[in-house]
């Protein structure tokens, strides 16, 4: 927890330093919008972002939520303003090199205004995306001796916390139940990083209403480790009949086997070998680091989350380079890999790119 607090304090200090520089540019180019006194916001908002991330349990409940929302929107505005400033300075260098200074006086303010309007539009669109999750459908064909066809709802990266609360999880539970699945699998990061706040909000209680004939299973993600107590989280979700699989397996209906691995960042675990070739083998972990190893071990279906598909552009350019599959569905030899971009979000209530989702997987006999 000390490292996590230090991380947010670092963001706060960097945000204040760079934010003052951003204000100078906005103030110079758009003085009618960014008057002198507005520098207060550029200094104060990083603090507002940091406070609920390090002392949320000491703050009044409603205040913690309000500060998290305001701070979250600062984060995305600050992030895209960095790109705008980089473009501004790059164009300034080009103008200086080619001696076009007279044109710069005309277009510089227009560039900043256009960039500001674009940032606002991106934030509005990203906010709309957050609250309009979809159900992605995947069909997996198999020649394994299944008793019948099966359906799975896979959901990852819910991030229950100060912004994502009970109303959000109620909507998720309803959307899952609408699929009428045999089992529900949670791919980690059920909580965002503070279990005590989730308990105060009672935001996991709607999961008790999720129905699945063959059960509900989960693995831990890196943010679950941030929460402070895996034992307490396990106990909390056990009341919703959700069972955590921590380097263990369960056989369902005598023909399906689900193996869940511990979070790879905290406790990297090698892929266990497949021992029963007649069972349809499902491997679930949080970070999609071991797709190739799972395929080599002869699993039939691989499930992971964590990446958020970057959450907003251009971050997906990074996640695509890190992972063999950062989002979507792909065959690796005979194994189907499914990586979800998640249902919730981290840091800011904005998603640009693939919409948040649950994944309905149909396992069908050939």
């Amino acid at each position: 927890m000390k490292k996590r607090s230090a991380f947010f304090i670092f963001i706060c200090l960097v945000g204040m330093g760079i934010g003052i520089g951003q204000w100078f540019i906005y103030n110079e180019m758009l003085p009618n919008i960014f008057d002198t006194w507005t520098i207060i916001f550029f200094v104060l908002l990083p603090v507002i972002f940091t406070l609920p991330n390090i002392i949320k349990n000491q703050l009044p409940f409603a205040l913690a939520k309000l500060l998290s929302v305001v701070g979250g929107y600062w984060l995305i505005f600050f992030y895209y303003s960095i790109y705008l400033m980089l473009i501004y300075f790059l164009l300034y260098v080009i103008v200086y090199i080619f001696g076009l200074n007279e044109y710069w006086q005309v277009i510089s303010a227009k560039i900043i205004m256009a960039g500001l309007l674009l940032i606002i539009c991106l934030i509005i669109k990203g906010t709309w995306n957050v609250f309009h999750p979809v159900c992605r459908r995947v069909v997996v064909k198999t020649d394994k001796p299944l008793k019948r066809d099966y359906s799975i709802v896979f959901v990852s990266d819910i991030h229950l916390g100060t912004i994502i609360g009970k109303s959000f999880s109620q909507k998720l539970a309803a959307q899952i139940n609408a699929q009428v699945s045999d089992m529900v699998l949670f791919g980690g990061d059920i909580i965002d990083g503070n279990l005590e706040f989730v308990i105060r909000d009672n935001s996991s209680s709607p999961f008790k209403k999720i129905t699945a004939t063959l059960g509900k299973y989960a693995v831990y993600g890196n943010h679950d480790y941030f929460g402070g107590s895996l034992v307490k989280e396990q106990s909390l979700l056990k009341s919703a009949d959700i069972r955590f699989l921590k380097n263990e397996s369960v056989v369902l209906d005598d023909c399906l086997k689900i193996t869940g691995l511990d979070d790879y960042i905290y406790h990297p675990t090698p892929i266990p070998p497949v021992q029963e070739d007649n069972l349809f083998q499902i491997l679930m972990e949080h970070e999609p680091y071991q797709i190739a190893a799972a395929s080599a071990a002869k699993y039939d279906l691989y499930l992971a989350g964590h990446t958020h598909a970057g959450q907003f552009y251009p971050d997906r350019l990074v996640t695509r380079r890190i992972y063999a599959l950062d989002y979507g569905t792909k065959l690796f030899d005979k194994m189907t890999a499914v990586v979800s971009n998640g249902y919730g979000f981290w840091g800011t209530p904005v998603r640009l790119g693939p919409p948040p989702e649950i994944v309905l997987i149909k396992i069908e006999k050939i």
Side-chain angles (χ1 to χ4, degrees):
M1 293 298 291
K2 290 182 179 179
K3 290 183 179 179
R4 184 170 168 81
S5 296
F7 168 74
F8 284 108
I9 292 172
F10 174 76
I11 289 180
C12 178
L13 296 176
V14 171
M16 292 172 69
I18 296 178
I20 291 172
Q22 291 175 347
W23 174 83
F24 273 111
I25 300 298
Y26 281 125
N27 173 256
E28 182 180 352
M29 295 296 102
L30 305 172
N32 292 332
I33 301 175
F34 295 91
D35 204 348
T36 305
W37 64 270
T38 60
I39 194 173
I40 296 171
F41 292 107
F42 288 81
V43 175
L44 186 61
L45 285 171
V47 179
I48 289 175
F49 171 77
T50 302
L51 284 178
N53 281 293
I54 60 176
I55 59 168
K56 58 173 69 71
N57 292 332
Q58 287 73 48
L59 295 172
F61 184 78
L63 179 61
K65 281 185 166 290
L66 176 62
L67 293 180
S68 294
V69 172
V70 174
Y73 280 118
W74 163 79
L75 181 66
I76 192 66
F77 177 81
F78 169 77
Y79 179 78
Y80 278 126
S81 288
I82 290 176
Y83 286 106
L84 177 57
M85 299 306 138
L86 290 174
I87 293 171
Y88 174 86
F89 284 116
L90 178 62
L91 292 175
Y92 178 79
V93 170
I94 293 173
V95 166
Y96 179 81
I97 291 174
F98 290 96
L100 303 173
N101 298 66
E102 67 274 15
Y103 297 104
W104 181 249
Q105 299 299 322
V106 177
I107 67 170
S108 56
K110 294 180 180 178
I111 291 171
I112 295 298
M113 175 59 79
L116 179 62
L117 291 175
L118 178 60
I119 291 172
I120 293 171
C121 289
L122 289 173
I123 292 174
I124 293 172
K125 178 62 168 70
T127 302
W128 190 93
N129 288 344
V130 159
F131 297 102
H132 292 83
V134 300
C135 178
R136 179 160 63 96
R137 287 168 168 78
V138 175
V139 176
V140 179
K141 302 284 188 178
T142 182
D143 57 3
K144 294 288 181 73
L146 301 181
K147 292 183 177 181
R148 58 181 176 86
D149 295 344
Y150 294 90
S151 61
I152 302 170
V153 167
F154 175 61
V155 57
S156 72
D157 299 273
I158 302 168
H159 289 275
L160 295 177
T162 49
I163 302 180
I164 299 178
K166 192 172 182 178
S167 62
F168 206 84
S169 55
Q170 286 173 333
K171 182 177 180 179
L172 170 60
Q175 192 169 6
I176 290 174
N177 284 338
Q179 311 312 315
V180 193
S181 63
D182 294 299
M183 67 198 85
V184 177
L185 304 180
F186 295 85
D189 282 3
I190 294 176
I191 68 169
D192 187 55
N194 191 295
L195 182 59
E196 294 302 323
F197 195 90
V198 173
I199 294 172
R200 286 170 65 190
D201 195 19
N202 200 26
S203 54
S204 66
S205 61
F207 296 160
K208 297 177 181 179
K209 297 181 180 179
I210 295 175
T211 58
T213 55
L214 296 179
K216 298 174 279 188
Y217 302 91
V219 293
Y220 292 113
N222 56 309
H223 280 258
D224 295 299
Y225 273 87
F226 297 159
S229 174
L230 296 185
V231 174
K232 188 179 289 188
E233 182 180 354
Q234 183 180 25
S235 176
L236 176 68
L237 294 177
K238 187 177 180 181
S239 66
D241 296 320
I242 297 174
R243 175 183 169 184
F244 279 94
L245 299 176
K246 188 177 180 181
N247 301 330
E248 56 184 315
S249 303
V250 60
V251 175
L252 303 177
D253 215 14
D254 299 322
C255 60
L256 300 164
K257 185 176 182 180
I258 303 173
T259 300
L261 300 184
D262 200 357
D263 180 72
Y264 191 86
I265 291 176
Y266 281 86
H267 298 287
T269 304
I271 299 293
V274 169
Q275 296 178 338
E276 303 94 344
D277 290 336
N278 61 314
L279 300 179
F280 186 88
Q281 301 279 347
I282 302 170
L283 183 72
M284 178 168 60
E285 64 175 343
H286 182 58
E287 294 94 1
Y289 284 125
Q290 304 189 86
I291 297 177
S295 174
K298 306 301 181 185
Y299 281 87
D300 300 294
L301 177 62
Y302 174 92
L303 304 174
H306 179 66
T307 68
H308 294 217
Q311 188 161 325
F312 32 79
Y313 194 83
D315 287 20
R316 195 174 178 203
L317 298 176
V318 177
T319 59
R320 279 176 165 165
R321 284 188 168 273
I322 294 175
Y323 305 102
L325 179 66
D326 77 317
Y327 168 73
T329 304
K330 185 178 178 180
L331 276 175
F332 288 81
D333 196 8
K334 295 182 179 181
M335 183 191 77
T336 301
V338 176
V339 177
S340 175
N341 66 334
Y343 193 83
F345 52 84
W346 178 85
T348 178
V350 172
R351 296 197 67 146
L352 295 164
E357 66 178 15
I358 63 173
V359 186
L360 177 63
I361 303 166
K362 297 282 189 177
I363 305 172
E364 298 180 352
K365 296 188 297 182
I366 296 176

